[in-house]
Amino acid sequence: MKNFNEKLSKQLLTYFKNQSKDFENLLKKLVSFQTFSKETKKINLFLDYLEDLFSTYHPRIERFHTDNGDILKLSHFSQNKDFLVLLSHVDTVKVSDYFVPIKIRGEKFYGNGCYDMKSAVLLFYFALKAIEKFSLPINKEI
């Protein structure tokens, strides 16, 4: 079993390294959505995009309407009572009345919401991609 885990760990590491350009491009896309706190229509449009993005993995989708923008719940995999919660938010703080341009300098990425929290949404997405690609056994609902 140890050799299997070491081999899988190396495969996953290689896989994620090979996904870095796709991750960067998709992060640019997510950050280009202006989802300022309390701008409900823009937040909900972004959630529409996320629903479409994650639909590849056939999640159960639930949306809860609030005055500050919807809450999107995507449930994946097991029907087990045990579960794992991956939690994020997509609203951002408005720092300017103008669009803040996305910048990449070396290995640093700058843009409204790129670290808090749109990159977390992408980590969830790429984790789901890896789970499917490598047929990883999941014994909890995510």
Side-chain angles (χ1 to χ4, degrees):
M1 187 70 165
K2 184 178 179 187
N3 288 338
F4 171 78
N5 286 336
E6 286 177 20
K7 181 179 177 185
L8 180 59
S9 293
K10 288 178 183 177
Q11 288 175 325
L12 286 169
L13 182 59
T14 300
Y15 171 75
F16 284 118
K17 284 181 179 179
N18 290 338
Q19 296 292 308
S20 64
K21 195 64 177 169
D22 290 339
F23 187 95
E24 180 182 308
N25 289 333
L26 196 47
L27 185 57
K28 286 178 189 175
K29 174 74 174 171
L30 297 188
V31 172
S32 72
F33 281 88
Q34 294 186 37
T35 55
F36 301 129
S37 297
K38 299 186 182 179
E39 291 188 3
T40 306
K41 288 181 183 178
K42 290 181 179 182
I43 290 170
N44 290 344
L45 283 173
F46 182 68
L47 295 178
D48 292 341
Y49 178 80
L50 291 182
E51 266 190 62
D52 187 54
L53 179 68
F54 279 86
S55 68
T56 304
Y57 304 104
H58 311 289
R60 283 190 323 274
I61 298 171
E62 296 176 74
R63 272 181 93 153
F64 306 93
H65 300 287
T66 74
D67 292 339
N68 294 321
D70 291 355
I71 295 170
L72 181 63
K73 178 183 175 187
L74 306 172
S75 302
H76 295 274
F77 305 113
S78 172
Q79 297 299 320
N80 194 326
K81 287 193 282 185
D82 293 334
F83 60 92
L84 174 66
V85 175
L86 306 176
L87 184 65
S88 182
H89 64 89
V90 298
D91 64 317
T92 59
V93 175
K94 189 173 190 175
V95 295
S96 172
D97 287 333
Y98 304 99
F99 178 74
V100 176
I102 298 164
K103 296 178 191 167
I104 299 172
R105 292 195 181 125
E107 293 184 3
K108 293 185 179 181
F109 193 107
Y110 301 89
N112 200 355
C114 65
Y115 293 106
D116 181 16
M117 281 292 292
K118 293 177 181 176
S119 59
V121 172
L122 278 188
L123 290 173
F124 304 157
Y125 174 75
F126 279 91
L128 292 173
K129 279 181 69 169
I131 288 167
E132 186 170 282
K133 178 173 177 52
F134 291 96
S135 301
L136 300 174
I138 303 298
N139 63 359
K140 296 181 190 263
E141 183 169 331
I142 299 177

